[in-house]
Amino acid sequence: MPRIVIDVERCKGCGLCTQVCPKGDLVQMSDEFNSKGYRPSKFVDPEKKCIGCAFCANMCPDVAITVYR
Amino acid sequence: MPRIVIDVERCKGCGLCTQVCPKGDLVQMSDEFNSKGYRPSKFVDPEKKCIGCAFCANMCPDVAITVYR
Amino acid sequence: MSEAKEEKIVFQRPKALCDVVTHYCPGCLHGVVHRVIAEVIDDLGIQEITVGIAPVGCSVLAYNYIATDFAEAAHGRALAMATGMKRVHPELVVFTYQGDGDLAAIGTNELIHAATRGENITTIFINNAIYGMTGGQMAPTTLPGQVTTSTPTGRDTKLAGFPIRVCELVSTLEGSAYIVRRSAYNPSEIRKLKAAIKTAFQVQMAGLGYSLVEVVSNCPTNWGMTPLESLKWLQENMLAYYPLGDYKVKDSVKELMAKK
Amino acid sequence: MSEAKEEKIVFQRPKALCDVVTHYCPGCLHGVVHRVIAEVIDDLGIQEITVGIAPVGCSVLAYNYIATDFAEAAHGRALAMATGMKRVHPELVVFTYQGDGDLAAIGTNELIHAATRGENITTIFINNAIYGMTGGQMAPTTLPGQVTTSTPTGRDTKLAGFPIRVCELVSTLEGSAYIVRRSAYNPSEIRKLKAAIKTAFQVQMAGLGYSLVEVVSNCPTNWGMTPLESLKWLQENMLAYYPLGDYKVKDSVKELMAKK
Amino acid sequence: MAKVLMKGNEAIAEAAIRAGCEAYFGYPITPQTEVLEYMSARMPALGRAFVQAESELGAVNMLYGAACTGARAMTTTSSPGFSLMQEGLSYIACSEVPAVVVNIMRGGPGLGNIQPAQGDYFQMTKGGGHGDYSPIVLAPSTVQETVDLVILAFDLADKYRQPVYVIADGMIGQMMEPVELPELKPPQRPERPWALTGAKGRPRNIITSLQLDPPTLEKVNLRLQETYKRIRENEQRHEEYMTDDADLLVVAYGTAARIVKTAIAKARRDGLKAGLFRPITVNPYPYDTLRKAAEKAKRLLVVELSAGQMLEDVRLAVMDKRPIHFFGKMGGVVPMPEDVVDAMKKALAEA
Amino acid sequence: MAKVLMKGNEAIAEAAIRAGCEAYFGYPITPQTEVLEYMSARMPALGRAFVQAESELGAVNMLYGAACTGARAMTTTSSPGFSLMQEGLSYIACSEVPAVVVNIMRGGPGLGNIQPAQGDYFQMTKGGGHGDYSPIVLAPSTVQETVDLVILAFDLADKYRQPVYVIADGMIGQMMEPVELPELKPPQRPERPWALTGAKGRPRNIITSLQLDPPTLEKVNLRLQETYKRIRENEQRHEEYMTDDADLLVVAYGTAARIVKTAIAKARRDGLKAGLFRPITVNPYPYDTLRKAAEKAKRLLVVELSAGQMLEDVRLAVMDKRPIHFFGKMGGVVPMPEDVVDAMKKALAEA
Amino acid sequence: MHEEVIISGFGGQGALFAGQLLTYAGLYEGRQVSWIPSYGPEMRGGTAHCTVILSDEPIGSPIVRNPTIAIVLNPASMDKYEPLVARGGILVVNTSLVRRPAQRSDITVVRVPANDLAYELGNVRMANVVLLGALLATKPIVSPDSVKRAMEEEIPAHRKHIIEPNKRALERGMQYVAEGR
Amino acid sequence: MHEEVIISGFGGQGALFAGQLLTYAGLYEGRQVSWIPSYGPEMRGGTAHCTVILSDEPIGSPIVRNPTIAIVLNPASMDKYEPLVARGGILVVNTSLVRRPAQRSDITVVRVPANDLAYELGNVRMANVVLLGALLATKPIVSPDSVKRAMEEEIPAHRKHIIEPNKRALERGMQYVAEGR
Ligand SMILES: Cc1ncc(C[n+]2csc(CCOP(=O)(O)OP(=O)(O)O)c2C)c(N)n1
Ligand SMILES: Cc1ncc(C[n+]2csc(CCOP(=O)(O)OP(=O)(O)O)c2C)c(N)n1
Ligand code: SF4
Ligand code: SF4
Ligand code: SF4
Ligand code: SF4
Ligand code: SF4
Ligand code: SF4
Ligand SMILES: [Mg+2]
Ligand SMILES: [Mg+2]
């Protein structure tokens, strides 16, 4: 089952990963802060729609996303 | 009667003026040296062929030629 | 369980990218370009023969992120430094990483002459239309009308002149072999960017001359936008002035690409 | 007697050219270009509002010959100096007179940026494919294969790179308005040169942007030729690499020319 | 005029404007950039010249060009940028045109960092460019004094037709203090018969630093040396603070001197009689006054944000008449007053 | 090896080649250009790197790049070009990479002229670029010594990982004298674990002069100062000539020292007991030996082709223990030995 | 009087602005004043702080090692400045973000949930001014009116709308200290 | 021995080359030697000169004000150097170009129509060597054989053909002095 893992401590909350998912809004901004004071993004895929295309990861300037398939 | 006057002390003997006369070889190199050690050019126009076109003067890097018409 | 066993990592940090947090602002594409360069270095297996040269600009600390030998140049002089290195060590892959201020303002002379000499060097040129590092002054690539801290009423071309188009300029020089403009505002552009950087390195390794990949980039911080707004602004404003595409691909490069 | 009375001088030293002997070598076209500039200054009646800037190069003493206010710039920096002057005194006609080493080697950055800023300045650019002043080293415009004192076996483009074509380069910049290449190897080319310099000054006076007139020139001394041989070599070798012509004439300039 | 609170960098810019600066050329570099930014807004609005140059080389040569026309003109930069200006400054000095240059120094050498430092002292006061020239160097230590010295710089540049440097660092550039500024007036052009403004109604002018003939260049040099002599005789400035009864004479300029002042107050509370000699012109250096001040003290302590550069000038002034101690910090490390007090105590302990 | 007659400039080039110089970068400028021209023929033939740079800025940064790879590398220039190299040299010093720079000085300031002069003394020994660094400066006074010192320069640059300058002028650059050169060998690369050569089989190397954190930059500076201390302790060089019985100690370096030598011979014929102290390293300056030499004499005369720059170092060495006179020429005017004799007589007459 | 105040927080928390208000207030009251920020790119995403000195004597060093007062807006600032406050000095803590208690007992510690109070007033960005109010209620090194005057005179025309809310924030901080809530 | 020789003429007359021959000859004979030219762009079309010193002592200044010997190839050089030759010194004059007589009586003046003699030998450009020969016949500061050896060893391979003519020119100059024609 394709999935992504977001390293929330690496994430700077820029949101670039949230706009490129071909499956809609699998990557969303969270409301929590990380220890650096950023709001990281989160992976929300209850329906297992992720295809592991890595668009989100490719877009991340901080290489905070790992993609598994 | 068109004619040119060459300032032999200004002339550096480069010869550029000698190749552009539409009337042939009205401007020639002389065999004498000027005080700077250059062989200046000279105006040789026994047949009064000069048309005062100023090609020779235009070509002179040292503005050593005056043209009368 | 059987499924978990087969799970493979399909995207992760490249080997040639140091496992550290960068100092870049959130959403700054410097980070993406760094990663893409590292991926290319991994793909080509050249980590041990590559030397990078960092500029003065926001990417001054690039040497902390890309895991090859690295030097930090004086502002604008990366290509002179690269020339010195490459001439002594033609076997190395030498690349410079430079911003618009570094490459196209103070470093224009070094750019033009490295290119015309056909140095076998690759430049990754980050065009974000601003001086990021020093806090948002006009860059040579700042767009007409764009507000910066040194063009507070917008760049007035009457007083501050016109933006420089680096690819167009460098393409006129015979020593340049592969001069292209890319961007990184979406995954497909990033893919093209990666291909271009790979080609540029290959051009260098084949000794075909100077290669430059311009990246139309962003600076959310000094543009005064959110990262997402900045990508929108990039597409709507920068691309018109800086059209993406191939500006010079020497025949020898085309042959090389056909072979690979 | 009646004839003598009617005799008129149809060619003589222009007013704006000092009545002194130049230090130039015999047959060096620097002298011709100086005279042509002086003629244009006379024709336009601008001797009292013109400021020239001499380069470092054989024409470093141009200020001794052209009879306007004059400054001598640091090597390559004439256009920066000109910018400083012109910005304070837009009413002046400011021109720089520069060799290939001065303009296209050490001064390339100042050239590119004055041009892209669209400074209302005129550059007369003497391309003689060599460093005359310092005794004949390779210039950025030295032709491939050309022997100089620093390319003793001929310019090897592999090591020393390719010649720079200034007009082609500068034309890519939006701030440049009138960029043309001329020569001075015969009277008809000299006539065209004069027309170009006049237009360039008029472009400046109309505030249309940066103007540059390249003159494909000679250096008999360092080419190791007689003056006449040098003109032949110029035509047979330089013109192929540096084709004469108009490289950029902005529409606004065309309109101006149509009016005059 | 009422006092306003201003950042040092902005005060430099506004002071220049009030001094009638007609042309500004600059290139961004921390910690100087606010001068450029401030000028980018104000100068065009006032109809004066502003150019963000393509580099410091561009800036200094634009400055040279503007100065040749007789305009009051300025550039500002920070250490690496100042290094790039050396050739141009040597030309300006030789050509005898007035120009003002501000160097907001930072930690060096190389790219270093952007914190306060004084490592460019030799470069500003002795070396820098090639050839024998010796610019006036003014070293303010408060924002108000920065304003005053920037204005003075323009006047001195005019008076002696030489480049005048104002030397400060990120501390003074970035801090806000109350300042009083003179009124804004349109720039006045004094008579400048030598300026390049088009040869209308006068013989043409030529400005050049080239003199192929050695005796002629010697003459230029002798004239320059004459100017420097006049400057030495007339323009030395310094401040003394609590020197009357001081056993320990601390010598420091600029930012270091501010810190020393606080240190002296602290030290005196501990019964340590210290005073400050603060050169305001670090070139011409106030050798004679320093020698005299030193004679009143038992020993000296030189405090610098550098490795011991002004120290040489102090030694040239004092010779070996008094023991001279040194306390310096480099690399953008700014000592706290307490550190200076420690250095003072150590200096006296070594007695 | 037999002696050959060589021009100083060509000797510099050939000496560098013999010293194993692997990379040369230069830009034409009189009176240095023959070095570049010579290198343009020899280096490619030897398979070594030669680039005629687009400018001195290009040249010095190419030098920096080559030096970062651990290559023995050199650039040569003359005064205005040297000014343009200041930023780069400050970077090289801070980065601790070895590099050799030759400055064949000419008359200044500005464009000046191309005749012999020593007006860059401060720039070479003290100032120049920004920040606290202090390059080794070697000042030959014959062509043979130029050869020897160029070779030494490469060794010292390697040893201390700092830029080393060789300082001469058109006189030494243009004159021919017999020289002996070491044999031509292929360049040897000593171990340079810090060099950028691709991170094969070792952790990667980074060469940078940026240290945003002040304490870290301070550490770099302290290391530099430590290096300069070692250099001061180990590398001072000077020559004494007829100083044993000298009443008048003349201090001069380079070209000026040659002229002084002839002058001393002449003066001694007139019964005037003069001797020469010639610093060979003008940085580190041989303060202590000069002080000792000065103590033997009654008074000193400093002779320079500049306005009195080394004079400051002489004063720092001798303090006011002895009267110090000065004789200087500027602008490319080279004094004749007779002129120096006159100055000697004047100095003694003032006694 | 002689006070050395350090105000420190994340970039964006307004430490520099609060310091400027204080500086202007001191100026109006005829004090010698200085204000100096941290600067440079390392600020990016990191901590920003400024040092304000108010004094009856001319001010020497504008930076100090041991301030008489510190206002800390975030945990990093707390860690950095708590140990440095001069004995007998004051530490004003934004407890909305700084959860841990202070460790010093030789200084006065003023604890204010500034983010929360500011949020209640409509804009969390005014936490800086809330803390300034809290300081002035603890030790009136300048009068609150001078701070309000500074708001009126120094906030640029196009941001006039933030003046009144900021005044309320100042008062809220004072009130919180005075009334303990 | 200690001789200071200035050789001066138009650019192109070979003053520098003649000086080099002399310098090499001195070197072969175990002397201390130095050679220094005038240099720079002002030479262009103007005068070129060099100073050669041959000595038994180490050479200090390579330039001198009052040479012991001057060889002048053209009128300008005559005007410049005649007054400077040290008392008792030698002035060798190219009378093909320098028509005026010398005015000094405290020096030895050697007059040689060098251009004409060189022309007769087939190349006017060898006037320099003719004059050098004339000097050596007057005062053998080096042996003619050493000068010939210098020609053989120092003239580059591609110009070997000029060696023999130059040797003849040297001899012609010597002969002219010896025989007065
Ligand atoms: C000689 C010199 N001049 C100026 C600077 C200051 N400076 C640092 S980075 C920079 C510009 C950076 O802009 P850019 O190259 O566009 O890179 P970005 O930060 O936008 O990525 C400048 C002017 C410097 N360090 N050195
Ligand atoms: C900074 C600096 N570098 C180098 C020089 C030496 N220099 C003088 S003229 C010149 C080049 C001249 O060539 P060009 O511009 O082509 O003019 P030309 O003499 O051919 O007319 C050089 C390199 C200098 N004066 N200043
Ligand atoms: S891998 Fe692709 S499908 Fe999965 S979350 Fe990322 S963008 Fe969406
Ligand atoms: S792109 Fe990366 S840094 Fe940005 S929000 Fe997504 S995971 Fe976080
Ligand atoms: S004016 Fe014309 S026709 Fe007369 S000589 Fe000159 S070129 Fe010939
Ligand atoms: S072109 Fe002029 S300088 Fe040349 S030969 Fe003719 S007249 Fe003389
Ligand atoms: S300032 Fe701009 S370019 Fe620099 S890191 Fe931040 S967003 Fe990127
Ligand atoms: S050297 Fe060449 S360019 Fe210079 S004056 Fe002589 S011919 Fe002209
Ligand atoms: Mg940028
Ligand atoms: Mg040229």
Side-chain angles (χ1 to χ4, degrees), chain F residues 6-17 35 38 143-144 146-147 150 173 177 179 181:
Chain F
M6 275 189 118
K7 254 198 175 195
N9 280 340
E10 294 176 359
I12 288 167
E14 189 60 38
I17 288 168
V35 186
Y38 191 97
V143 177
Q144 180 67 55
T146 305
V147 165
V150 165
E177 280 188 316
V179 289
L181 287 153

Side-chain angles (χ1 to χ4, degrees), chain E residues 68-106:
Chain E
C68 283
T69 71
R72 288 197 148 187
M74 177 171 86
T75 189
T76 61
T77 187
S78 177
S79 308
F82 187 69
S83 287
L84 288 172
M85 294 185 177
Q86 295 313 314
E87 188 205 25
L89 293 170
S90 174
Y91 272 72
I92 288 174
C94 190
S95 304
E96 300 178 276
V97 294
V100 174
V101 182
V102 179
N103 179 1
I104 305 295
M105 295 181 284
R106 48 188 256 175

Side-chain angles (χ1 to χ4, degrees), chain B residues 6 11-17 29 41 60-62 64-65:
Chain B
I6 299 170
C11 173
K12 291 180 183 154
C14 67
L16 298 195
C17 53
M29 297 319 292
S41 60
C60 176
D62 289 281
I65 303 179

